[in-house]
Amino acid sequence: MKTHLISGGCGFVGRNMVNRLYNNTNDRIVFIDNLAVGKHPNTWLNHPFQKSQGNMNIYGEDERLCFIEEDFRVTLQKLVHQPEYLKKELGLDIERFADVYHFAAIVGGRAMIDGDPIQVALDLSIDAEFFYWISRHKPERVLYPSSSAAYPVNLQTESNAIQLKESDIDFNHMGQPDMTYGWTKLTGEFLAQITAKHYGVSITCIRPFSGYGEDQDYSYPTPAIARRAVFKEAPFEVWGSGHQGRDFVHIDDVLDCVEVAMEKIHDGSAINIGQGVLTSFRDLIEIFCEFAGYQPEIKPLLDKPVGVHSRYCDMTWVKDNLGWEPKISIREGMKRVYDAVMAREIAEGNLKPE
Ligand SMILES: NC(=O)c1ccc[n+]([C@@H]2O[C@H](COP(=O)([O-])OP(=O)(O)OC[C@H]3O[C@@H](n4cnc5c(N)ncnc54)[C@H](O)[C@@H]3O)[C@@H](O)[C@H]2O)c1
């Protein structure tokens, strides 16, 4: 049986990947998270808890889901210094991991990126330990999620808002990325290319734009705006002028693209994942308020952090070279989020069913 590894497996992207791999394969999935932000699997896995082995919980009747609650850096150091650790301590007989998805990171949204940049810089230490381990372990394939934040900020201003192309990041002519978050992702991409080239590991890097989905935390703008629309906030507050825009892409599309990309990209180079559509926060509010059936006045909160003015991508390279295009339109994806938020609020007793 193949075994895949997912770091940060209890975060937004990680949870979706754990469920997807479990549903689409017969393989075993080991996922690791320190639960700094992530949710405990008891709250989101629809498969029964079976047993514990050391600090690992095993779920699913076929025992294919193995959760280790630990700082991934600690796991990585154990794996480097004692390659037999998983077998000896946890009874997991794994010669070599098949796919390794590295989602463990301090992300936290705009408030964290601007408000505590040195905490975000700890991602450098997570990534450095990670690439060191994979250069030794050499899994079959590796996914490294970079970010749209790696792009130079001077290409994302009000007067210079362009559709960002993969080639807009050039290690020979560097621009300045978005805060420490963007720098860590750029460094991660560089380490990915070096690890692929010098150690012969197959690595794919992705630059997702603003990923969203039904089970995303309320600290992110999409579910937070949906929730306020569900409660018919009026006037409707928006951070900044609300004219700043992002390229929102549904998590199912992101993970579909990952699957295609990992088949075709092995040298650590990075691709965009977005819709290629710029949607302003005012547009987003309008969509959710339309679902809620009202038209509030918009109240800008000019003291809130807003990040760059316009961040969206050009998907031409991906379409031409991978033959992949996103399938879930903004309206369809946002309706799914709206319905999920409504269901969550009703289930928690905060809202009466209509
Ligand atoms: N969600 C998006 O739209 C998006 C866009 C671009 C890039 N990414 C990247 O994808 C990855 C996952 O993002 P996400 O949205 O799921 O974020 P998230 O914050 O929901 O998930 C990150 C997970 O990592 C865990 N974690 C943090 N530090 C850890 C450590 N030292 N050891 C073990 N676990 C640790 C957290 O508890 C959390 O569960 C990140 O690298 C992020 O930068 C995401």
Side-chain angles (χ1 to χ4, degrees):
M1 190 200 298
K2 281 188 174 191
T3 305
H4 308 295
L5 175 67
I6 302 179
S7 76
C10 298
F12 170 60
V13 182
R15 292 192 297 274
N16 280 279
M17 185 55 100
V18 168
N19 279 322
R20 185 185 179 97
L21 282 181
Y22 186 78
N23 294 335
N24 294 355
T25 71
N26 293 316
D27 306 336
R28 179 165 56 188
I29 299 132
V30 175
F31 57 110
I32 300 174
D33 201 297
N34 64 358
L35 301 184
V37 170
K39 297 181 186 162
H40 196 285
N42 289 350
T43 67
W44 55 269
L45 261 187
N46 290 325
H47 307 286
F49 168 75
Q50 301 295 320
K51 59 183 179 189
S52 291
Q53 266 168 230
N55 67 341
M56 181 173 72
N57 280 1
I58 300 180
Y59 297 83
E61 273 146 24
D62 49 10
E63 304 194 355
R64 288 196 289 121
L65 291 161
C66 307
F67 168 57
I68 302 172
E69 181 179 342
E70 191 162 71
D71 188 316
F72 190 44
R73 286 169 294 191
V74 173
T75 321
L76 289 166
Q77 289 191 0
K78 287 182 193 165
L79 290 170
V80 165
H81 296 299
Q82 193 193 348
E84 295 287 288
Y85 150 70
L86 290 174
K87 188 173 181 187
K88 282 199 176 141
E89 305 286 325
L90 305 176
L92 284 176
D93 200 359
I94 299 166
E95 193 73 15
R96 186 182 180 213
F97 282 104
D99 291 347
V100 173
Y101 301 89
H102 176 46
F103 297 125
I106 297 160
V107 188
R110 183 50 53 190
M112 172 76 101
I113 289 170
D114 283 347
D116 198 354
I118 293 301
Q119 185 173 350
V120 176
L122 288 174
D123 286 341
L124 290 166
S125 86
I126 305 176
D127 287 355
E129 301 277 0
F130 174 70
F131 283 109
Y132 180 66
W133 171 65
I134 63 165
S135 73
R136 267 55 190 168
H137 179 78
K138 299 188 195 292
E140 279 172 33
R141 304 189 306 180
V142 173
L143 180 85
Y144 177 75
S146 175
S147 168
S148 52
Y151 280 106
V153 286
N154 65 357
L155 301 180
Q156 304 169 64
T157 59
E158 198 166 352
S159 57
N160 188 21
I162 61 162
Q163 275 183 289
L164 297 158
K165 288 194 194 67
E166 284 81 356
S167 55
D168 288 325
I169 291 179
D170 175 354
F171 285 117
N172 293 311
H173 300 97
M174 297 292 293
Q176 185 175 331
D178 190 355
M179 295 295 290
T180 55
Y181 180 62
W183 273 112
T184 67
K185 295 301 186 184
L186 261 188
T187 307
E189 285 191 24
F190 192 67
L191 297 181
Q193 288 185 18
I194 296 280
T195 311
K197 188 171 172 190
H198 290 261
Y199 301 87
V201 184
S202 169
I203 309 181
T204 312
C205 290
I206 52 166
R207 297 178 191 143
F209 280 63
S210 295
Y212 70 94
E214 288 86 317
D215 61 340
Q216 197 172 26
D217 194 83
Y218 281 143
S219 59
Y220 284 84
T222 306
I225 292 173
R227 183 171 186 271
R228 289 190 280 127
V230 160
F231 286 102
K232 295 200 167 49
E233 178 178 282
F236 207 105
E237 294 183 344
V238 62
W239 286 18
S241 68
H243 292 295
Q244 70 276 17
R246 294 293 180 270
D247 193 336
F248 295 98
V249 56
H250 193 276
I251 185 68
D252 289 351
D253 272 338
V254 174
L255 298 187
D256 274 352
C257 186
V258 163
E259 207 173 308
V260 175
M262 286 178 78
E263 290 288 328
K264 299 198 176 167
I265 298 174
H266 307 287
D267 63 355
S269 56
I271 56 155
N272 287 337
I273 308 184
Q275 295 251 352
V277 176
L278 188 64
T279 303
S280 76
F281 285 91
R282 283 180 182 249
D283 294 337
L284 205 57
I285 291 169
E286 200 180 308
I287 291 171
F288 283 126
C289 292
E290 192 190 313
F291 296 151
Y294 78 122
Q295 276 186 316
E297 180 196 328
I298 303 292
K299 182 180 169 195
L301 300 178
L302 298 176
D303 58 335
K304 295 285 188 189
V306 293
V308 293
H309 184 77
S310 299
R311 175 172 289 163
Y312 72 129
C313 67
D314 185 325
M315 288 299 288
T316 308
W317 193 94
V318 169
K319 189 178 171 198
D320 290 353
N321 293 278
L322 305 184
W324 184 87
E325 285 181 276
K327 293 178 199 67
I328 303 170
S329 70
I330 294 282
R331 287 189 76 80
E332 182 192 339
M334 295 304 167
K335 185 68 169 72
R336 289 196 204 175
V337 172
Y338 182 84
D339 291 345
V341 167
M342 175 89 90
R344 199 189 311 180
E345 294 302 325
I346 290 171
E348 288 173 7
N350 303 326
L351 197 70
K352 288 205 177 93
E354 282 176 350

